[in-house]
Amino acid sequence: MSRKFPIISVTGSSGAGTSTVKATFDQIFRREGITAVSIEGDAFHRFNRAEMRDELARRYAEGDQTFSHFSYEANELGELERVFRDYGETGRGRTRHYVHDAAEAERHGVPPGEFTAWKPFADGSDVLFYEGLHGAVVNDQVNLPTLADLKIGVVPVINLEWIQKIHRDRATRGYSTEAVTDVILRRMHAYVHCITPQFTETDINFQRVPVVDTSNPFVARWIPTPDESLVVIRFRNPRGIDFPYLTAMIQGSWMTRANSIVIPGNKQDLAMQLILTPLIERLVSTARKLRA
């Protein structure tokens, strides 16, 4: 970790709502006058769309039915670690963009399913912000948590995650429920071994829990709304967290453990603002003083 050039890492499984969380961080950065450079986990995929399709076919033919974008081997985690380390040491680094669809292709001038060229970060940033699947990976090759200053986990309970993925892939990618189910099954091994272990490395976890019946996610007609959900917030180290203040400010919240608070689902943005703003301010204020 670097006090001069802090790094914030947001790790969430697919469909967990990390994009919404990024919008909350953007609000905090804008309101507090913080200049952030952002990198996306998709930028560190090892394969473009066509290459990934070929790699999946090759592995499937060899009997490997567990390979997916969740897998360590499908991502350039060494490159991600290098970006974290370079930024922490110098405030510099590079990233690229994975183009998902035609709208992004028009914006970036690159066909869907391809990467843009690597580009260096703009100078003068206060913080590096990562959002993706692998921001807190620890394995034999990399140790990303030791390089990040604030690590956030965003994860729904598993049935809710499946519902969100099924609805998203059917609506935006034209997949059938059966096709999405096949993807979920293929990802389960890496989900267990590559994704979930990261949430023990994070400083704060936000876990959304529906309070409506999600017992069969494969026939659910709609995604549970925030009003139909609770969010469990877990602090790895609760020292210094003013729980009485949080429960007073967030109507309908209560503590369940010495390091955990439960809030109504529609209060997540407010909770993140209250919890994260002082932590980010402290990181940036210290960094600016040290760089002056």
Side-chain angles (χ1 to χ4, degrees):
M1 290 187 287
S2 169
R3 298 177 70 196
K4 282 188 177 182
F5 304 103
I7 297 170
I8 299 172
S9 171
V10 175
T11 300
S13 46
S14 182
T18 50
S19 297
T20 303
V21 172
K22 184 181 185 305
T24 299
F25 272 92
D26 288 341
Q27 291 177 28
I28 296 173
F29 295 149
R30 183 170 56 252
R31 187 181 63 240
E32 303 301 324
I34 295 169
T35 302
V37 290
S38 296
I39 58 176
E40 303 167 348
D42 290 351
F44 297 88
H45 286 335
R46 179 159 293 163
F47 308 104
N48 64 26
R49 187 171 295 166
E51 291 169 343
M52 186 64 176
R53 192 179 298 117
D54 292 343
E55 184 69 10
L56 283 168
R58 183 185 70 81
R59 288 175 179 261
Y60 193 84
E62 294 176 352
D64 180 2
Q65 301 181 26
T66 66
F67 185 71
S68 74
H69 279 122
F70 284 12
S71 306
Y72 294 147
E73 300 86 354
N75 296 274
E76 299 283 3
L77 298 182
E79 179 64 27
L80 178 59
E81 184 181 53
R82 184 158 43 250
V83 170
F84 274 23
R85 181 176 290 108
D86 288 350
Y87 186 86
E89 293 174 353
T90 67
R92 296 184 176 90
R94 67 174 191 165
T95 191
R96 60 182 177 178
H97 187 77
Y98 178 78
V99 178
H100 295 88
D101 51 38
E104 291 185 6
E106 185 175 351
R107 186 162 65 249
H108 294 284
V110 175
E114 297 287 343
F115 297 100
T116 64
W118 291 98
K119 291 185 178 179
F121 296 154
D123 293 332
S125 63
D126 292 307
V127 64
L128 173 64
F129 179 83
Y130 167 91
E131 178 260 312
L133 291 170
H134 298 97
V137 166
V138 178
N139 60 23
D140 293 338
Q141 285 75 45
V142 301
N143 190 331
L144 296 175
T146 61
L147 300 173
D149 301 85
L150 178 60
K151 300 172 287 292
I152 308 296
V154 183
V155 57
V157 293
I158 191 70
N159 278 21
L160 175 58
E161 178 168 338
W162 289 350
I163 290 173
Q164 291 180 149
K165 177 162 183 59
I166 290 166
H167 279 252
R168 185 191 64 181
D169 284 7
R170 287 193 309 192
T172 63
R173 300 177 182 176
Y175 291 0
S176 66
T177 300
E178 292 74 18
V180 186
T181 303
D182 288 342
V183 173
I184 289 171
L185 290 171
R186 189 176 71 243
R187 286 180 169 181
M188 281 308 299
H189 182 273
Y191 185 85
V192 170
H193 294 281
C194 304
I195 302 299
T196 57
Q198 297 181 72
F199 300 118
T200 61
E201 303 291 337
T202 46
D203 300 307
I204 307 171
N205 282 337
F206 294 83
Q207 184 174 37
R208 186 174 160 206
V209 182
V211 290
V212 294
D213 183 20
T214 60
S215 53
N216 187 348
F218 303 100
V219 299
R221 295 184 178 180
W222 52 78
I223 300 171
T225 67
D227 287 331
E228 297 172 327
S229 307
L230 298 173
V231 176
V232 180
I233 306 172
R234 188 274 295 175
F235 299 85
R236 186 178 188 184
N237 180 4
R239 183 176 298 172
I241 302 299
D242 192 342
F243 287 104
Y245 169 75
L246 292 176
T247 53
M249 292 294 292
I250 305 171
Q251 186 176 9
S253 64
W254 72 97
M255 290 187 67
T256 53
R257 288 185 176 177
N259 66 342
S260 300
I261 183 174
V262 177
I263 64 169
N266 58 13
K267 300 291 185 182
Q268 178 169 315
D269 180 74
L270 172 62
M272 296 189 77
Q273 300 271 354
L274 293 172
I275 294 167
L276 298 174
T277 298
L279 299 177
I280 295 170
E281 280 184 329
R282 196 175 308 136
L283 283 176
V284 172
S285 176
T286 300
R288 286 174 173 172
K289 288 177 182 177
L290 291 172
R291 294 199 305 267

